[in-house]
PDB file of all heavy atoms in Angstrom:
ATOM      1  N   ILE A   1      15.565 -34.138  64.115  1.00  0.00           N
ATOM      2  CA  ILE A   1      15.341 -35.413  63.435  1.00  0.00           C
ATOM      3  C   ILE A   1      16.338 -35.643  62.308  1.00  0.00           C
ATOM      4  O   ILE A   1      16.517 -36.768  61.843  1.00  0.00           O
ATOM      5  CB  ILE A   1      13.895 -35.524  62.899  1.00  0.00           C
ATOM      6  CG1 ILE A   1      13.655 -34.548  61.751  1.00  0.00           C
ATOM      7  CG2 ILE A   1      12.886 -35.329  64.009  1.00  0.00           C
ATOM      8  CD1 ILE A   1      12.317 -34.738  61.089  1.00  0.00           C
ATOM      9  N   PHE A   2      17.027 -34.571  61.891  1.00  0.00           N
ATOM     10  CA  PHE A   2      18.047 -34.711  60.854  1.00  0.00           C
ATOM     11  C   PHE A   2      19.453 -34.691  61.451  1.00  0.00           C
ATOM     12  O   PHE A   2      20.433 -34.535  60.718  1.00  0.00           O
ATOM     13  CB  PHE A   2      17.907 -33.589  59.825  1.00  0.00           C
ATOM     14  CG  PHE A   2      16.577 -33.572  59.130  1.00  0.00           C
ATOM     15  CD1 PHE A   2      15.680 -32.543  59.352  1.00  0.00           C
ATOM     16  CD2 PHE A   2      16.214 -34.587  58.260  1.00  0.00           C
ATOM     17  CE1 PHE A   2      14.454 -32.511  58.707  1.00  0.00           C
ATOM     18  CE2 PHE A   2      14.989 -34.580  57.626  1.00  0.00           C
ATOM     19  CZ  PHE A   2      14.103 -33.544  57.842  1.00  0.00           C
ATOM     20  N   SER A   3      19.543 -34.864  62.758  1.00  0.00           N
ATOM     21  CA  SER A   3      20.806 -34.860  63.500  1.00  0.00           C
ATOM     22  C   SER A   3      21.584 -33.558  63.294  1.00  0.00           C
ATOM     23  O   SER A   3      22.807 -33.552  63.233  1.00  0.00           O
ATOM     24  CB  SER A   3      21.682 -36.067  63.144  1.00  0.00           C
ATOM     25  OG  SER A   3      22.182 -36.009  61.829  1.00  0.00           O
ATOM     26  N   ILE A   4      20.864 -32.442  63.187  1.00  0.00           N
ATOM     27  CA  ILE A   4      21.501 -31.130  63.127  1.00  0.00           C
ATOM     28  C   ILE A   4      21.565 -30.574  64.546  1.00  0.00           C
ATOM     29  O   ILE A   4      20.536 -30.399  65.204  1.00  0.00           O
ATOM     30  CB  ILE A   4      20.722 -30.175  62.207  1.00  0.00           C
ATOM     31  CG1 ILE A   4      20.700 -30.722  60.772  1.00  0.00           C
ATOM     32  CG2 ILE A   4      21.342 -28.779  62.234  1.00  0.00           C
ATOM     33  CD1 ILE A   4      19.854 -29.902  59.812  1.00  0.00           C
ATOM     34  N   VAL A   5      22.758 -30.321  65.028  1.00  0.00           N
ATOM     35  CA  VAL A   5      22.965 -29.846  66.388  1.00  0.00           C
ATOM     36  C   VAL A   5      22.507 -28.395  66.491  1.00  0.00           C
ATOM     37  O   VAL A   5      22.798 -27.573  65.623  1.00  0.00           O
ATOM     38  CB  VAL A   5      24.452 -29.955  66.776  1.00  0.00           C
ATOM     39  CG1 VAL A   5      24.679 -29.411  68.184  1.00  0.00           C
ATOM     40  CG2 VAL A   5      24.917 -31.402  66.693  1.00  0.00           C
ATOM     41  N   GLN A   6      21.802 -28.077  67.559  1.00  0.00           N
ATOM     42  CA  GLN A   6      21.277 -26.731  67.742  1.00  0.00           C
ATOM     43  C   GLN A   6      21.301 -26.360  69.222  1.00  0.00           C
ATOM     44  O   GLN A   6      21.413 -27.225  70.089  1.00  0.00           O
ATOM     45  CB  GLN A   6      19.832 -26.666  67.246  1.00  0.00           C
ATOM     46  CG  GLN A   6      18.916 -27.626  68.019  1.00  0.00           C
ATOM     47  CD  GLN A   6      17.489 -27.589  67.544  1.00  0.00           C
ATOM     48  OE1 GLN A   6      16.900 -26.528  67.485  1.00  0.00           O
ATOM     49  NE2 GLN A   6      16.930 -28.750  67.219  1.00  0.00           N
ATOM     50  N   ASN A   7      21.202 -25.074  69.493  1.00  0.00           N
ATOM     51  CA  ASN A   7      20.954 -24.636  70.861  1.00  0.00           C
ATOM     52  C   ASN A   7      19.491 -24.870  71.188  1.00  0.00           C
ATOM     53  O   ASN A   7      18.626 -24.836  70.309  1.00  0.00           O
ATOM     54  CB  ASN A   7      21.292 -23.156  71.022  1.00  0.00           C
ATOM     55  CG  ASN A   7      22.792 -22.906  70.993  1.00  0.00           C
ATOM     56  OD1 ASN A   7      23.585 -23.765  71.375  1.00  0.00           O
ATOM     57  ND2 ASN A   7      23.182 -21.733  70.521  1.00  0.00           N
ATOM     58  N   GLN A   8      19.222 -25.088  72.444  1.00  0.00           N
ATOM     59  CA  GLN A   8      17.864 -25.419  72.868  1.00  0.00           C
ATOM     60  C   GLN A   8      16.859 -24.361  72.433  1.00  0.00           C
ATOM     61  O   GLN A   8      15.737 -24.666  72.044  1.00  0.00           O
ATOM     62  CB  GLN A   8      17.818 -25.608  74.380  1.00  0.00           C
ATOM     63  CG  GLN A   8      16.485 -26.114  74.898  1.00  0.00           C
ATOM     64  CD  GLN A   8      16.530 -26.414  76.383  1.00  0.00           C
ATOM     65  OE1 GLN A   8      17.519 -26.132  77.048  1.00  0.00           O
ATOM     66  NE2 GLN A   8      15.483 -27.001  76.909  1.00  0.00           N
ATOM     67  N   ASN A   9      17.278 -23.098  72.450  1.00  0.00           N
ATOM     68  CA  ASN A   9      16.358 -22.017  72.094  1.00  0.00           C
ATOM     69  C   ASN A   9      16.616 -21.458  70.696  1.00  0.00           C
ATOM     70  O   ASN A   9      16.093 -20.409  70.335  1.00  0.00           O
ATOM     71  CB  ASN A   9      16.450 -20.884  73.118  1.00  0.00           C
ATOM     72  CG  ASN A   9      17.888 -20.427  73.323  1.00  0.00           C
ATOM     73  OD1 ASN A   9      18.806 -20.948  72.705  1.00  0.00           O
ATOM     74  ND2 ASN A   9      18.076 -19.452  74.191  1.00  0.00           N
ATOM     75  N   GLN A  10      17.433 -22.142  69.914  1.00  0.00           N
ATOM     76  CA  GLN A  10      17.756 -21.723  68.547  1.00  0.00           C
ATOM     77  C   GLN A  10      18.176 -20.256  68.476  1.00  0.00           C
ATOM     78  O   GLN A  10      17.667 -19.475  67.669  1.00  0.00           O
ATOM     79  CB  GLN A  10      16.587 -22.012  67.598  1.00  0.00           C
ATOM     80  CG  GLN A  10      16.391 -23.490  67.317  1.00  0.00           C
ATOM     81  CD  GLN A  10      15.317 -23.765  66.269  1.00  0.00           C
ATOM     82  OE1 GLN A  10      14.920 -22.892  65.520  1.00  0.00           O
ATOM     83  NE2 GLN A  10      14.865 -25.007  66.217  1.00  0.00           N
ATOM     84  N   THR A  11      19.137 -19.879  69.312  1.00  0.00           N
ATOM     85  CA  THR A  11      19.699 -18.536  69.277  1.00  0.00           C
ATOM     86  C   THR A  11      21.198 -18.653  69.045  1.00  0.00           C
ATOM     87  O   THR A  11      21.757 -19.746  68.952  1.00  0.00           O
ATOM     88  CB  THR A  11      19.444 -17.786  70.593  1.00  0.00           C
ATOM     89  OG1 THR A  11      20.136 -18.461  71.658  1.00  0.00           O
ATOM     90  CG2 THR A  11      17.964 -17.719  70.914  1.00  0.00           C
ATOM     91  N   PHE A  12      21.859 -17.502  68.964  1.00  0.00           N
ATOM     92  CA  PHE A  12      23.306 -17.495  68.743  1.00  0.00           C
ATOM     93  C   PHE A  12      24.080 -17.974  69.963  1.00  0.00           C
ATOM     94  O   PHE A  12      25.242 -18.343  69.846  1.00  0.00           O
ATOM     95  CB  PHE A  12      23.780 -16.085  68.365  1.00  0.00           C
ATOM     96  CG  PHE A  12      23.405 -15.667  66.973  1.00  0.00           C
ATOM     97  CD1 PHE A  12      22.896 -14.400  66.740  1.00  0.00           C
ATOM     98  CD2 PHE A  12      23.570 -16.513  65.889  1.00  0.00           C
ATOM     99  CE1 PHE A  12      22.559 -13.993  65.452  1.00  0.00           C
ATOM    100  CE2 PHE A  12      23.242 -16.116  64.603  1.00  0.00           C
ATOM    101  CZ  PHE A  12      22.729 -14.855  64.388  1.00  0.00           C
ATOM    102  N   ARG A  13      23.453 -17.937  71.134  1.00  0.00           N
ATOM    103  CA  ARG A  13      24.141 -18.324  72.366  1.00  0.00           C
ATOM    104  C   ARG A  13      23.470 -19.538  72.977  1.00  0.00           C
ATOM    105  O   ARG A  13      22.237 -19.616  73.039  1.00  0.00           O
ATOM    106  CB  ARG A  13      24.134 -17.181  73.385  1.00  0.00           C
ATOM    107  CG  ARG A  13      24.886 -15.956  72.975  1.00  0.00           C
ATOM    108  CD  ARG A  13      25.012 -15.005  74.158  1.00  0.00           C
ATOM    109  NE  ARG A  13      23.719 -14.604  74.695  1.00  0.00           N
ATOM    110  CZ  ARG A  13      23.155 -13.434  74.497  1.00  0.00           C
ATOM    111  NH1 ARG A  13      23.761 -12.525  73.749  1.00  0.00           N
ATOM    112  NH2 ARG A  13      21.986 -13.137  75.031  1.00  0.00           N
ATOM    113  N   GLY A  14      24.291 -20.500  73.457  1.00  0.00           N
ATOM    114  CA  GLY A  14      23.733 -21.667  74.112  1.00  0.00           C
ATOM    115  C   GLY A  14      24.795 -22.712  74.377  1.00  0.00           C
ATOM    116  O   GLY A  14      26.000 -22.485  74.165  1.00  0.00           O
ATOM    117  N   GLY A  15      24.347 -23.860  74.843  1.00  0.00           N
ATOM    118  CA  GLY A  15      25.269 -24.900  75.265  1.00  0.00           C
ATOM    119  C   GLY A  15      26.008 -25.599  74.145  1.00  0.00           C
ATOM    120  O   GLY A  15      27.077 -26.172  74.359  1.00  0.00           O
ATOM    121  N   ASN A  16      25.460 -25.574  72.919  1.00  0.00           N
ATOM    122  CA  ASN A  16      26.112 -26.265  71.808  1.00  0.00           C
ATOM    123  C   ASN A  16      26.963 -25.338  70.955  1.00  0.00           C
ATOM    124  O   ASN A  16      27.962 -25.770  70.388  1.00  0.00           O
ATOM    125  CB  ASN A  16      25.066 -26.959  70.930  1.00  0.00           C
ATOM    126  CG  ASN A  16      24.509 -28.202  71.596  1.00  0.00           C
ATOM    127  OD1 ASN A  16      25.203 -28.889  72.337  1.00  0.00           O
ATOM    128  ND2 ASN A  16      23.239 -28.489  71.355  1.00  0.00           N
ATOM    129  N   ILE A  17      26.570 -24.103  70.829  1.00  0.00           N
ATOM    130  CA  ILE A  17      27.371 -23.127  70.081  1.00  0.00           C
ATOM    131  C   ILE A  17      27.049 -21.728  70.578  1.00  0.00           C
ATOM    132  O   ILE A  17      25.887 -21.394  70.825  1.00  0.00           O
ATOM    133  CB  ILE A  17      27.129 -23.235  68.559  1.00  0.00           C
ATOM    134  CG1 ILE A  17      28.021 -22.234  67.809  1.00  0.00           C
ATOM    135  CG2 ILE A  17      25.655 -23.061  68.205  1.00  0.00           C
ATOM    136  CD1 ILE A  17      28.042 -22.430  66.302  1.00  0.00           C
ATOM    137  N   THR A  18      28.093 -20.929  70.740  1.00  0.00           N
ATOM    138  CA  THR A  18      27.914 -19.522  71.079  1.00  0.00           C
ATOM    139  C   THR A  18      28.773 -18.686  70.153  1.00  0.00           C
ATOM    140  O   THR A  18      29.974 -18.937  70.015  1.00  0.00           O
ATOM    141  CB  THR A  18      28.286 -19.232  72.539  1.00  0.00           C
ATOM    142  OG1 THR A  18      27.303 -19.833  73.400  1.00  0.00           O
ATOM    143  CG2 THR A  18      28.323 -17.743  72.816  1.00  0.00           C
ATOM    144  N   LEU A  19      28.153 -17.720  69.508  1.00  0.00           N
ATOM    145  CA  LEU A  19      28.861 -16.762  68.664  1.00  0.00           C
ATOM    146  C   LEU A  19      29.020 -15.480  69.462  1.00  0.00           C
ATOM    147  O   LEU A  19      28.033 -14.868  69.873  1.00  0.00           O
ATOM    148  CB  LEU A  19      28.065 -16.513  67.386  1.00  0.00           C
ATOM    149  CG  LEU A  19      28.720 -15.622  66.329  1.00  0.00           C
ATOM    150  CD1 LEU A  19      29.970 -16.289  65.767  1.00  0.00           C
ATOM    151  CD2 LEU A  19      27.735 -15.319  65.198  1.00  0.00           C
ATOM    152  N   PHE A  20      30.261 -15.089  69.705  1.00  0.00           N
ATOM    153  CA  PHE A  20      30.556 -13.919  70.532  1.00  0.00           C
ATOM    154  C   PHE A  20      30.686 -12.681  69.637  1.00  0.00           C
ATOM    155  O   PHE A  20      31.656 -12.555  68.890  1.00  0.00           O
ATOM    156  CB  PHE A  20      31.848 -14.124  71.320  1.00  0.00           C
ATOM    157  CG  PHE A  20      31.767 -15.223  72.337  1.00  0.00           C
ATOM    158  CD1 PHE A  20      32.066 -16.533  71.988  1.00  0.00           C
ATOM    159  CD2 PHE A  20      31.388 -14.959  73.641  1.00  0.00           C
ATOM    160  CE1 PHE A  20      32.001 -17.554  72.927  1.00  0.00           C
ATOM    161  CE2 PHE A  20      31.316 -15.964  74.587  1.00  0.00           C
ATOM    162  CZ  PHE A  20      31.622 -17.268  74.220  1.00  0.00           C
ATOM    163  N   PRO A  21      29.737 -11.747  69.707  1.00  0.00           N
ATOM    164  CA  PRO A  21      29.766 -10.579  68.817  1.00  0.00           C
ATOM    165  C   PRO A  21      30.761  -9.526  69.281  1.00  0.00           C
ATOM    166  O   PRO A  21      30.973  -9.339  70.481  1.00  0.00           O
ATOM    167  CB  PRO A  21      28.333 -10.062  68.893  1.00  0.00           C
ATOM    168  CG  PRO A  21      27.863 -10.472  70.256  1.00  0.00           C
ATOM    169  CD  PRO A  21      28.538 -11.783  70.562  1.00  0.00           C
ATOM    170  N   HIS A  22      31.334  -8.808  68.338  1.00  0.00           N
ATOM    171  CA  HIS A  22      32.363  -7.839  68.693  1.00  0.00           C
ATOM    172  C   HIS A  22      31.803  -6.665  69.475  1.00  0.00           C
ATOM    173  O   HIS A  22      32.522  -6.041  70.255  1.00  0.00           O
ATOM    174  CB  HIS A  22      33.071  -7.338  67.424  1.00  0.00           C
ATOM    175  CG  HIS A  22      32.259  -6.404  66.594  1.00  0.00           C
ATOM    176  ND1 HIS A  22      31.282  -6.845  65.733  1.00  0.00           N
ATOM    177  CD2 HIS A  22      32.271  -5.040  66.488  1.00  0.00           C
ATOM    178  CE1 HIS A  22      30.739  -5.806  65.128  1.00  0.00           C
ATOM    179  NE2 HIS A  22      31.301  -4.696  65.566  1.00  0.00           N
ATOM    180  N   LYS A  23      30.545  -6.351  69.311  1.00  0.00           N
ATOM    181  CA  LYS A  23      29.989  -5.160  69.962  1.00  0.00           C
ATOM    182  C   LYS A  23      29.691  -5.361  71.445  1.00  0.00           C
ATOM    183  O   LYS A  23      29.545  -4.388  72.184  1.00  0.00           O
ATOM    184  CB  LYS A  23      28.722  -4.707  69.233  1.00  0.00           C
ATOM    185  CG  LYS A  23      28.985  -4.129  67.853  1.00  0.00           C
ATOM    186  CD  LYS A  23      27.758  -3.481  67.271  1.00  0.00           C
ATOM    187  CE  LYS A  23      28.034  -2.894  65.896  1.00  0.00           C
ATOM    188  NZ  LYS A  23      29.053  -1.826  65.931  1.00  0.00           N
ATOM    189  N   SER A  24      29.588  -6.599  71.885  1.00  0.00           N
ATOM    190  CA  SER A  24      29.222  -6.816  73.288  1.00  0.00           C
ATOM    191  C   SER A  24      30.170  -7.752  74.030  1.00  0.00           C
ATOM    192  O   SER A  24      30.089  -7.847  75.252  1.00  0.00           O
ATOM    193  CB  SER A  24      27.793  -7.380  73.375  1.00  0.00           C
ATOM    194  OG  SER A  24      27.650  -8.538  72.593  1.00  0.00           O
ATOM    195  N   PHE A  25      31.066  -8.424  73.320  1.00  0.00           N
ATOM    196  CA  PHE A  25      31.985  -9.347  73.984  1.00  0.00           C
ATOM    197  C   PHE A  25      33.267  -8.612  74.334  1.00  0.00           C
ATOM    198  O   PHE A  25      34.168  -8.453  73.518  1.00  0.00           O
ATOM    199  CB  PHE A  25      32.274 -10.543  73.084  1.00  0.00           C
ATOM    200  CG  PHE A  25      33.177 -11.584  73.720  1.00  0.00           C
ATOM    201  CD1 PHE A  25      32.916 -12.058  74.994  1.00  0.00           C
ATOM    202  CD2 PHE A  25      34.261 -12.086  73.033  1.00  0.00           C
ATOM    203  CE1 PHE A  25      33.739 -13.016  75.594  1.00  0.00           C
ATOM    204  CE2 PHE A  25      35.078 -13.050  73.607  1.00  0.00           C
ATOM    205  CZ  PHE A  25      34.818 -13.514  74.887  1.00  0.00           C
ATOM    206  N   GLY A  26      33.327  -8.166  75.575  1.00  0.00           N
ATOM    207  CA  GLY A  26      34.478  -7.391  75.998  1.00  0.00           C
ATOM    208  C   GLY A  26      34.434  -5.978  75.461  1.00  0.00           C
ATOM    209  O   GLY A  26      33.376  -5.447  75.115  1.00  0.00           O
ATOM    210  N   LEU A  27      35.597  -5.339  75.423  1.00  0.00           N
ATOM    211  CA  LEU A  27      35.716  -3.955  74.930  1.00  0.00           C
ATOM    212  C   LEU A  27      36.620  -3.980  73.699  1.00  0.00           C
ATOM    213  O   LEU A  27      37.812  -3.682  73.768  1.00  0.00           O
ATOM    214  CB  LEU A  27      36.288  -3.040  76.019  1.00  0.00           C
ATOM    215  CG  LEU A  27      35.469  -2.966  77.317  1.00  0.00           C
ATOM    216  CD1 LEU A  27      36.185  -2.108  78.349  1.00  0.00           C
ATOM    217  CD2 LEU A  27      34.064  -2.436  77.043  1.00  0.00           C
ATOM    218  N   TYR A  28      36.029  -4.361  72.585  1.00  0.00           N
ATOM    219  CA  TYR A  28      36.771  -4.550  71.346  1.00  0.00           C
ATOM    220  C   TYR A  28      37.158  -3.202  70.745  1.00  0.00           C
ATOM    221  O   TYR A  28      36.294  -2.375  70.444  1.00  0.00           O
ATOM    222  CB  TYR A  28      35.888  -5.333  70.378  1.00  0.00           C
ATOM    223  CG  TYR A  28      36.465  -5.607  69.016  1.00  0.00           C
ATOM    224  CD1 TYR A  28      37.683  -6.277  68.865  1.00  0.00           C
ATOM    225  CD2 TYR A  28      35.770  -5.230  67.873  1.00  0.00           C
ATOM    226  CE1 TYR A  28      38.180  -6.554  67.606  1.00  0.00           C
ATOM    227  CE2 TYR A  28      36.264  -5.507  66.606  1.00  0.00           C
ATOM    228  CZ  TYR A  28      37.474  -6.171  66.479  1.00  0.00           C
ATOM    229  OH  TYR A  28      37.971  -6.457  65.233  1.00  0.00           O
ATOM    230  N   PRO A  29      38.457  -2.944  70.540  1.00  0.00           N
ATOM    231  CA  PRO A  29      38.869  -1.677  69.941  1.00  0.00           C
ATOM    232  C   PRO A  29      38.628  -1.695  68.434  1.00  0.00           C
ATOM    233  O   PRO A  29      39.008  -2.633  67.732  1.00  0.00           O
ATOM    234  CB  PRO A  29      40.362  -1.615  70.258  1.00  0.00           C
ATOM    235  CG  PRO A  29      40.783  -3.046  70.405  1.00  0.00           C
ATOM    236  CD  PRO A  29      39.594  -3.789  70.950  1.00  0.00           C
ATOM    237  N   GLU A  30      37.986  -0.654  67.924  1.00  0.00           N
ATOM    238  CA  GLU A  30      37.691  -0.567  66.498  1.00  0.00           C
ATOM    239  C   GLU A  30      37.357   0.872  66.149  1.00  0.00           C
ATOM    240  O   GLU A  30      37.228   1.730  67.019  1.00  0.00           O
ATOM    241  CB  GLU A  30      36.509  -1.473  66.136  1.00  0.00           C
ATOM    242  CG  GLU A  30      35.219  -1.103  66.857  1.00  0.00           C
ATOM    243  CD  GLU A  30      34.019  -1.923  66.416  1.00  0.00           C
ATOM    244  OE1 GLU A  30      34.029  -2.422  65.269  1.00  0.00           O
ATOM    245  OE2 GLU A  30      33.075  -2.058  67.217  1.00  0.00           O
ATOM    246  N   TYR A  31      37.194   1.120  64.851  1.00  0.00           N
ATOM    247  CA  TYR A  31      36.696   2.397  64.373  1.00  0.00           C
ATOM    248  C   TYR A  31      35.290   2.203  63.827  1.00  0.00           C
ATOM    249  O   TYR A  31      34.973   1.176  63.232  1.00  0.00           O
ATOM    250  CB  TYR A  31      37.592   2.958  63.274  1.00  0.00           C
ATOM    251  CG  TYR A  31      38.914   3.501  63.774  1.00  0.00           C
ATOM    252  CD1 TYR A  31      40.097   2.811  63.539  1.00  0.00           C
ATOM    253  CD2 TYR A  31      38.976   4.704  64.480  1.00  0.00           C
ATOM    254  CE1 TYR A  31      41.318   3.297  63.988  1.00  0.00           C
ATOM    255  CE2 TYR A  31      40.183   5.197  64.937  1.00  0.00           C
ATOM    256  CZ  TYR A  31      41.354   4.493  64.694  1.00  0.00           C
ATOM    257  OH  TYR A  31      42.548   4.988  65.161  1.00  0.00           O
ATOM    258  N   SER A  32      34.467   3.218  64.000  1.00  0.00           N
ATOM    259  CA  SER A  32      33.133   3.187  63.410  1.00  0.00           C
ATOM    260  C   SER A  32      33.249   3.413  61.904  1.00  0.00           C
ATOM    261  O   SER A  32      34.333   3.725  61.385  1.00  0.00           O
ATOM    262  CB  SER A  32      32.249   4.269  64.026  1.00  0.00           C
ATOM    263  OG  SER A  32      32.697   5.549  63.615  1.00  0.00           O
TER     264      SER A  32
END
């Protein structure tokens, strides 16, 4: 009602916005 765009299920992933985390999106090289 305030024209704030959201995903249908209000999660990080969906049709309006997806945030791709480094731990699961591909094989991201890093140090612990």
Side-chain angles (χ1 to χ4, degrees):
I1 69 173
F2 300 112
S3 69
I4 298 175
V5 178
Q6 61 180 307
N7 288 331
Q8 187 174 6
N9 52 0
Q10 289 186 17
T11 64
F12 287 136
R13 296 190 301 256
N16 286 328
I17 182 170
T18 290
L19 185 65
F20 295 88
H22 73 280
K23 290 190 179 298
S24 54
F25 182 49
L27 301 176
Y28 179 57
E30 61 175 335
Y31 286 107
S32 69

